[in-house]
Amino acid sequence: MAIKKSELYSSLWASCDELRGGMDASQYKDYVLVMLFIKYISDKWAGQPYAPITIPDGASFKDMVALKGKTDIGDQINKKIIAPLKEANNLSDMPDFNDVNKLGDGKDMVDRLTNLITIFQKKELDFSKNRAEGDDILGDAYEYLMRHFATESGKSKGQFYTPAEVSRIMAMIIGISKDQTSANTTVYDPTCGSGSLLLRIGAEAKTKVTLYGQEKDSATSALCRMNMILHDQADAEIKQGNTLANPLFLEDGTMKQFDYVVANPPFSDKRWENGLSLPADGVHNRFAGFGVPPSKNGDFAFLLHIVRSLKRNAKGAVILPHGVLFRGNAEAEIRTNLIKKGYIKGIIGLPANLFYGTGIPACIILMDKENAQNRKAVFMVDASKGFIKDGNKNRLREQDIRNITDVFNEQLEVPGYSRMVSIHEIEQNEYNLNIPRYIDSQEKEDIQDIDAHLNGGIPNADIDDLQKYWKVYPNLKKSLFEDLRIGYSALKVAATEINDSIYQHPEFTTFITEMDELYSTWCADNASYLKDLQTDCHPKQVIKTLSESLLNKYKNKPLVNKYNVYQHLLSYWNEVMQDDVYIISYDGWKAETYRIELENNKGKKVDKGWTCDLVPKELVISRYFQKEQQALVQLEAKKEALAAEILELEEEHGAEEGLFAELDKVNKGEAQKRIKAIQKEKDVDLAEELEALERYVELHTELATTNKDIKVAEQDLDNLLYAKYPTLTEGDIKTLVVENKWFKTMETSLKGEIDQISQRLTSRIKELAERYETPLPILVEETSQLELLVNGHLVKMGFNMVGI
């Protein structure tokens, strides 16, 4: 059975539960990731000739399983598994699996490590077959874990990870996807951390390139090396050491230069000078011609290291705090020299609180030595407002990433968002690159119109601000507004009728029809492509093809933001569709069913029925069993009606003096006892109570019968479904999944997007109408009348209002 990304992630994260409590996330991540690494390389390459990594005899995951339950399991893992793997593959520091301070002592350690190994024995973590080649499902799982570890590690220990969204932006703007590349193309990250940024750049190239990375922390560099292997980059060179004090990639005794350099260095490192002899920089010559960075801030030290690491026509991208754009003194001198040399091609301002090591806003600086001497401008993007909240951090959405990269790569000038700023203008601003100096991203202020407040009417200027709507609905404006006086208009409809007036207007209905047809044509354009997917398909290529097609379909369409539409597709992909396509890439178009087994609180597995991931039950029901489903719906409606009537009787007669007052508890059993008592007494005065009680019992009896009927109907339908699945043809499955599942879900999302267009227009018109509905003179008059009325009441109450 195919592995689902969501199940892989949940299984891996469950392994973390076995370690929580003894250590924080920055520590237990090492154990979990090493286990993932050993499991993967064992499944993939154990016993394979010419494998990119050596697995010594006795050092595979199978050998680790044999250690489960042993009293010296931690020591045995260190000696028999970790040490041989480390030595055979030149891996740096690995975690100590016999550390009693982290893993517990005695039985605690044995149980913890045994349970951890057991988790990685799960069938969904069998990587020998379950892998879509070229899609790096394991690498993505590694990314997932790193992000979660960074989130839990807190401010001081989350710096080993660059958010994937930022890495993707850097990969998409640095130009490697457009350039001709080969195995000789070099990509370097001088502060590579766990390697996610370096890998992202490499993955964007048309061909496999050579990766180089240096990381100061020994444990993190070990994780980086493992990450390279998990991403099929076993040939990557990862070295451990202080990059500024001792750069380890050298040629002829001086620093090696690369085609592409990327980095997310530690922000404002106060100890960057450690190990350096300044102001000179020896043979590396990184600061000559630019200036020496200030002793207590290493941002420009890393930037100048990158500049020195770039070949003659190479490109680099670095993440740094916003302060590098405007801080003075030594940093101002360096920034001025960089600008004058033409090395800075562009700057992207990012939202605050994106990174795990700090909450301050950062920026991406893109450097390009090609034609640097002829550079006359710097392209700037202010992307600080495009994000969503994700826990206690901010996160870039898919639409934000795509918007940034499209605008930057196409050098599009968008008011309030992006601009090409001439070097001459920057010079006039004393080489200050602070983005707000050049881009005003503040939203237009909603100004109150005093004349309208005094004399009534809606300012035409506010109505004209809705021009993007009037271009699409030119006659709608005339049906909503009429001239009142020069510069001001009045509503022709009541405020409560604005929404209906818009929805029912012919121009709006035409627009909705056009949008429906637009989506239908996109579905038609892609239906065959999706139905033709085979077991060798690459899911990442699938979503790339679909998303590009969708963006092109909605390009330059009025009122509709193509990036909002794009977000709907990518959100659905991440939530559901991605797993579906991975299933197809492994198993093809098969509607495989499986039992759902969950553990109860006693640790026993309980059968919770069956399901099918690719083709959910509701799709088959809707297509083949509508009659049975409708019968169930009717039974459920009957159940609700009976329950409502029972509740109504209880509320009506359950009070102290009600007909049910004699009942100790208002329920069917007590009602039946009371009925027998009344029947024995044969008191005619109790006839009304008897009738109510009998109706109450009758309703409960009918409700119980209906509940039984529902259970029988549900089981009958379930049996029909279970029998139907094996009969579904490949064509049936393709239609159900592509048309009834994927396209239908997207259609619902996009209809909601289109509905918001009307809602935004309606809300704004209502807001303006209510704002200027009552002119000030009328308010004053109404206030005066109310004051006289109140004073009159006070006089009648005996209060003397004279002088008040």
Side-chain angles (χ1 to χ4, degrees):
M1 181 179 173
I3 188 168
K4 289 169 60 180
K5 279 196 171 186
S6 57
E7 289 180 357
L8 170 63
Y9 295 163
S10 61
S11 293
L12 291 175
W13 197 239
S15 67
C16 302
D17 290 331
E18 293 300 325
L19 297 171
R20 287 190 180 97
M23 63 196 93
D24 67 28
S26 66
Q27 296 172 321
Y28 68 67
K29 79 174 190 302
D30 299 344
Y31 291 93
V32 174
L33 293 174
V34 166
M35 289 292 292
L36 171 64
F37 172 74
I38 294 172
K39 181 65 167 70
Y40 173 68
I41 62 173
S42 299
D43 286 353
K44 188 72 175 175
W45 291 312
Q48 297 291 325
Y50 311 112
I53 188 166
T54 301
I55 306 170
D57 290 340
S60 70
F61 181 77
K62 183 173 72 172
D63 300 300
M64 187 182 284
V65 171
L67 300 175
K68 287 169 58 176
K70 293 187 178 296
T71 55
D72 60 346
I73 183 174
D75 185 52
Q76 291 295 312
I77 289 176
N78 282 343
K79 291 178 179 178
K80 293 184 176 181
I81 311 296
I82 301 299
L85 281 172
K86 181 178 175 181
E87 184 177 353
N89 296 284
N90 193 28
L91 297 173
S92 51
D93 287 3
M94 303 280 269
D96 180 3
F97 278 79
N98 199 37
D99 190 330
V100 295
N101 294 319
K102 295 177 181 177
L103 297 169
D105 199 2
K107 189 173 184 302
D108 282 345
M109 178 185 289
V110 174
D111 290 347
R112 183 167 281 169
L113 291 177
T114 297
N115 291 340
L116 187 60
I117 294 170
T118 301
I119 287 171
F120 280 85
Q121 285 182 276
K122 289 182 177 180
K123 61 181 180 180
E124 59 263 35
L125 295 181
D126 178 5
F127 304 127
S128 59
K129 298 177 182 177
N130 283 334
R131 191 164 194 268
E133 293 298 334
D135 262 300
D136 288 320
I137 191 169
L138 259 294
D140 290 346
Y142 194 92
E143 275 290 319
Y144 170 87
L145 289 173
M146 293 301 288
R147 177 164 61 87
H148 279 71
F149 289 137
T151 301
E152 290 200 0
S153 293
K155 185 173 181 179
S156 62
K157 298 177 182 178
Q159 297 179 9
F160 55 78
Y161 177 71
T162 302
E165 296 84 7
V166 180
S167 298
R168 287 168 57 194
I169 290 173
M170 296 173 76
M172 293 164 76
I173 66 169
I174 201 169
I176 195 169
S177 61
K178 298 177 182 177
D179 297 343
Q180 292 297 320
T181 57
S182 67
N184 294 323
T185 302
T186 55
V187 182
Y188 167 57
D189 185 342
T191 57
C192 62
S194 62
S196 59
L197 175 57
L198 184 59
L199 284 164
R200 188 72 65 176
I201 306 300
E204 196 72 15
K206 294 176 181 177
T207 61
K208 192 168 184 178
V209 296
T210 304
L211 305 182
Y212 299 82
Q214 184 166 339
E215 168 55 36
K216 183 177 181 180
D217 183 81
S218 59
T220 305
S221 67
L223 294 180
C224 182
R225 173 68 178 144
M226 289 187 286
N227 200 6
M228 296 296 130
I229 295 169
L230 289 178
H231 278 84
D232 284 343
Q233 289 283 1
D235 294 334
E237 289 193 44
I238 306 299
K239 297 187 178 184
Q240 188 264 317
N242 186 326
T243 295
L244 293 181
N246 184 27
L248 295 175
F249 293 103
L250 305 174
E251 285 183 349
D252 300 324
T254 188
M255 282 173 53
K256 178 179 174 66
Q257 292 186 314
F258 304 87
D259 298 299
Y260 301 92
V261 181
V262 291
N264 176 21
F267 287 0
S268 306
D269 186 358
K270 294 183 178 0
R271 294 171 293 180
W272 71 271
E273 290 180 308
N274 290 356
L276 283 168
S277 298
L278 297 174
D281 185 31
V283 295
H284 303 314
N285 203 31
R286 287 172 285 193
F287 308 140
F290 298 100
V292 179
S295 60
K296 298 299 182 182
N297 194 316
D299 292 331
F300 273 104
F302 286 104
L303 181 58
L304 292 177
H305 176 89
I306 291 170
V307 170
R308 177 67 180 81
S309 301
L310 292 171
K311 290 181 179 178
R312 182 178 179 184
N313 293 318
K315 302 174 179 68
V318 60
I319 304 165
L320 290 171
H322 263 236
V324 300
L325 303 177
F326 55 79
R327 291 194 297 249
N329 302 319
E331 292 182 306
E333 178 189 354
I334 297 171
R335 185 171 58 247
T336 299
N337 288 324
L338 284 168
I339 295 168
K340 285 182 175 179
K341 288 181 181 292
Y343 286 166
I344 298 178
K345 181 179 181 179
I347 301 167
I348 299 171
L350 298 171
N353 204 28
L354 281 184
F355 296 88
Y356 296 96
T358 178
I360 65 173
C363 62
I364 299 172
I365 299 178
L366 184 72
M367 292 162 289
D368 190 351
K369 283 189 174 181
E370 188 174 9
N371 295 319
Q373 68 278 9
N374 298 321
R375 186 157 288 122
K376 303 298 181 185
V378 175
F379 190 74
M380 296 187 183
V381 177
D382 184 351
S384 60
K385 292 181 171 59
F387 62 89
I388 58 168
K389 294 294 293 181
D390 185 8
N392 62 351
K393 304 299 293 181
N394 295 332
R395 183 166 56 84
L396 295 169
R397 299 163 295 183
E398 294 289 345
Q399 66 186 85
D400 302 318
I401 297 167
R402 188 57 191 258
N403 194 12
I404 291 169
T405 54
D406 281 354
V407 166
F408 193 91
N409 289 333
E410 296 172 30
Q411 306 281 276
L412 300 174
E413 294 195 290
V414 179
Y417 188 76
S418 60
R419 186 175 163 229
M420 184 69 77
V421 183
S422 69
I423 300 296
H424 176 70
E425 184 177 351
I426 293 172
E427 181 183 6
Q428 289 181 319
N429 279 281
E430 299 178 333
Y431 295 95
N432 186 315
L433 292 176
N434 197 21
I435 296 174
R437 287 201 176 205
Y438 307 99
I439 299 174
D440 182 6
S441 62
Q442 298 298 314
E443 293 183 8
K444 183 180 177 181
E445 187 177 356
D446 189 10
I447 299 172
Q448 300 276 339
D449 189 298
I450 295 176
D451 189 299
H453 279 301
L454 290 172
N455 301 306
I458 299 173
N460 287 347
D462 286 327
I463 297 172
D464 291 341
D465 279 344
L466 302 170
Q467 187 60 31
K468 64 179 182 180
Y469 295 99
W470 311 139
K471 284 182 179 179
V472 181
Y473 322 130
N475 294 311
L476 175 59
K477 179 181 177 182
K478 297 175 184 176
S479 68
L480 292 173
F481 301 101
E482 61 184 357
D483 290 337
L484 179 65
R485 53 195 175 86
I486 296 176
Y488 298 86
S489 298
L491 264 179
K492 293 170 69 173
V493 299
T496 56
E497 298 175 2
I498 293 173
N499 199 55
D500 288 342
S501 298
I502 293 173
Y503 266 96
Q504 295 170 10
H505 196 277
E507 290 173 339
F508 184 79
T509 56
T510 298
F511 173 74
I512 294 296
T513 300
E514 290 173 352
M515 290 298 104
D516 289 344
E517 291 175 352
L518 191 67
Y519 179 68
S520 295
T521 58
W522 179 78
C523 292
D525 292 343
N526 290 279
S528 295
Y529 168 71
L530 290 172
K531 290 180 180 180
D532 287 342
L533 294 178
Q534 301 297 324
T535 52
D536 59 351
C537 71
H538 290 172
K540 289 183 179 179
Q541 183 57 49
V542 172
I543 187 57
K544 182 177 180 180
T545 300
L546 288 179
S547 60
E548 291 299 323
S549 171
L550 193 68
L551 281 171
N552 288 331
K553 182 63 67 175
Y554 283 86
K555 186 177 182 180
N556 298 325
K557 298 303 176 186
L559 300 181
V560 181
N561 184 323
K562 67 177 182 178
Y563 295 111
N564 289 350
V565 176
Y566 173 84
Q567 180 66 44
H568 285 295
L569 173 60
L570 269 293
S571 294
Y572 182 54
W573 171 263
N574 291 328
E575 292 165 7
V576 174
M577 196 173 169
Q578 175 178 231
D579 277 342
D580 288 348
V581 177
Y582 270 97
I583 289 171
I584 294 165
S585 72
Y586 290 123
D587 298 332
W589 295 91
K590 296 179 182 178
E592 292 189 343
T593 60
Y594 63 92
R595 307 302 301 185
I596 304 170
E597 291 185 335
L598 299 176
E599 284 190 3
N600 60 19
N601 53 11
K602 295 182 180 179
K604 292 184 178 180
K605 290 187 176 181
V606 180
D607 191 323
K608 293 292 184 179
W610 61 278
T611 190
C612 177
D613 291 321
L614 185 61
V615 187
K617 291 181 181 180
E618 58 267 22
L619 291 181
V620 181
I621 291 171
S622 178
R623 179 77 176 273
Y624 299 103
F625 302 108
Q626 287 188 9
K627 180 181 175 182
E628 291 80 0
Q629 178 66 11
Q630 187 57 39
L632 251 177
V633 169
Q634 290 173 354
L635 285 172
E636 290 287 355
K638 182 180 179 182
K639 174 184 174 180
E640 290 179 12
L642 291 169
E645 191 173 348
I646 289 170
L647 181 61
E648 186 179 346
L649 284 175
E650 290 174 347
E651 291 177 346
E652 182 181 355
H653 302 305
E656 268 186 44
E657 298 180 1
L659 296 176
F660 295 169
E662 296 297 322
L663 302 180
D664 292 335
K665 291 182 179 179
V666 181
N667 57 39
K668 181 182 177 181
E670 291 296 317
Q672 287 173 323
K673 289 179 185 178
R674 179 60 181 162
I675 289 171
K676 289 180 181 179
I678 292 173
Q679 288 172 340
K680 279 184 179 181
E681 293 180 28
K682 298 180 180 180
D683 188 342
V684 294
D685 292 335
L686 300 176
E688 186 181 359
E689 180 185 352
L690 180 62
E691 182 182 356
L693 288 167
E694 287 177 336
R695 178 58 181 161
Y696 184 71
V697 171
E698 180 187 352
L699 288 170
H700 268 289
T701 302
E702 194 173 354
L703 179 59
T705 301
T706 303
N707 282 330
K708 289 180 182 177
D709 291 342
I710 288 172
K711 285 186 178 180
V712 171
E714 286 177 338
Q715 187 59 55
D716 288 345
L717 178 55
D718 199 59
N719 292 338
L720 287 171
L721 275 173
Y722 198 67
K724 182 65 180 177
Y725 269 81
T727 71
L728 294 174
T729 66
E730 186 174 288
D732 294 333
I733 295 169
K734 289 179 177 180
T735 298
L736 287 166
V737 173
V738 175
E739 297 178 13
N740 302 122
K741 185 180 182 181
W742 295 346
F743 287 167
K744 204 68 179 175
T745 303
M746 272 293 294
E747 180 182 13
T748 302
S749 297
L750 294 188
K751 281 186 180 296
E753 182 69 31
I754 302 303
D755 283 344
Q756 288 185 26
I757 294 171
S758 168
Q759 292 168 12
R760 286 191 290 267
L761 178 59
T762 300
S763 296
R764 180 55 177 167
I765 294 173
K766 280 185 176 179
E767 181 182 27
L768 293 172
E770 291 170 0
R771 178 183 295 174
Y772 301 114
E773 183 177 18
T774 309
L776 185 60
I778 295 177
L779 286 174
V780 171
E781 177 62 26
E782 288 178 352
T783 304
S784 298
Q785 293 297 325
L786 290 171
E787 184 180 6
L788 288 173
L789 187 63
V790 171
N791 288 341
H793 285 304
L794 289 173
V795 169
K796 289 179 181 179
M797 294 168 66
F799 292 95
N800 184 1
M801 302 307 296
V802 177
I804 295 179

